[in-house]
Amino acid sequence: KQEVTQIPAALSVPEGENLVLNCSFTDSAIYNLQWFRQDPGKGLTSLLLIQSSQREQTSGRLNASLDKSSGRSTLYIAASQPGDSATYLCAVIMRSGGYNKLIFGAGTRLAVHP
Amino acid sequence: EAQVTQNPRYLITVTGKKLTVTCSQNMNHEYMSWYRQDPGLGLRQIYYSMNVEVTDKGDVPEGYKVSRKEKRNFPLILESPSPNQTSLYFCASSLGTSGRRSYEQYFGPGTRLTVT
């Protein structure tokens, strides 16, 4: 059974720091991996989708990497800002019962203080 | 604007009183699903639908029903809510789910349900 773990569960950093959020999964037979951002009281916003054939994806100050063989993904946030404060979720996408299914980690709650 | 909408956003109800949470998407997506989010457990899938009149159970379907009579709508029905169904619920949709080129998931804003 696929299990997705995110470490750390919470992180507090001063503005301007570069930081790394970690996501690990137990079954490497995944199709893709998706990183989301969740703001309090709001839904999930997709940040990056990495297909299994890719090693990384970049969007602005965000860079996500994927190493299927070791079951790991990292989300790198450069020059963090207070507006980056949110919960970050990773989800692996894998085949289950004839369709592609998302399995989520519990998230990393990030606080960036001025 | 492409979006997934849910109603209501907040709901407080009592045990046993039937309720429906609506979900609608305007992107002509085939695939829709419902998740619940609980502290420390992440998001868990309740039900999903691959197209009109095609639905199936996710990981935590007990106590829930769904229907997919139209492509754009996917309501979640709690016939007899109980306190353990107090949670944050999300509806999601994507263009499709087949093949290795998975399509990006779009999520609604969430519905916070409290059952007393």
Side-chain angles (χ1 to χ4, degrees), chain B residues 29-41:
Chain B
H29 284 172
E30 288 188 352
Y31 179 81
M32 298 184 74
S33 60
W34 277 102
Y35 294 85
R36 61 177 289 171
Q37 184 179 32
D38 301 290
L41 297 177

Side-chain angles (χ1 to χ4, degrees), chain A residues 9-53:
Chain A
L11 184 61
S12 180
V13 300
E15 181 177 6
E17 274 204 7
N18 301 324
L19 54 98
V20 175
L21 307 182
N22 296 293
C23 174
S24 62
F25 45 95
T26 55
D27 185 347
S28 62
I30 67 168
Y31 280 172
N32 304 316
L33 185 143
Q34 193 166 356
W35 281 93
F36 295 88
R37 168 185 173 138
Q38 183 178 18
D39 293 282
K42 296 189 178 180
L44 278 67
T45 302
S46 178
L47 297 173
L48 292 163
L49 173 69
I50 311 175
Q51 296 187 28
S52 59
S53 58

Side-chain angles (χ1 to χ4, degrees), chain A:
Chain A
K1 180 186 175 184
Q2 177 73 273
E3 292 184 0
V4 181
T5 304
Q6 291 187 246
I7 294 174
L11 184 61
S12 180
V13 300
E15 181 177 6
E17 274 204 7
N18 301 324
L19 54 98
V20 175
L21 307 182
N22 296 293
C23 174
S24 62
F25 45 95
T26 55
D27 185 347
S28 62
I30 67 168
Y31 280 172
N32 304 316
L33 185 143
Q34 193 166 356
W35 281 93
F36 295 88
R37 168 185 173 138
Q38 183 178 18
D39 293 282
K42 296 189 178 180
L44 278 67
T45 302
S46 178
L47 297 173
L48 292 163
L49 173 69
I50 311 175
Q51 296 187 28
S52 59
S53 58
Q54 298 173 314
R55 297 282 293 183
E56 64 180 296
Q57 279 276 24
T58 298
S59 176
R61 292 183 294 109
L62 305 180
N63 175 279
S65 67
L66 173 63
D67 185 341
K68 275 185 59 176
S69 60
S70 66
R72 294 172 190 256
S73 176
T74 61
L75 178 66
Y76 175 81
I77 303 177
S80 58
Q81 304 170 357
D84 294 330
S85 298
T87 296
Y88 291 81
L89 299 165
C90 76
V92 298
I93 303 166
M94 58 191 304
R95 198 73 174 166
S96 175
Y99 79 107
N100 294 346
K101 177 179 178 178
L102 266 72
I103 301 171
F104 284 86
T108 293
R109 191 170 63 254
L110 173 65
V112 181
H113 49 87

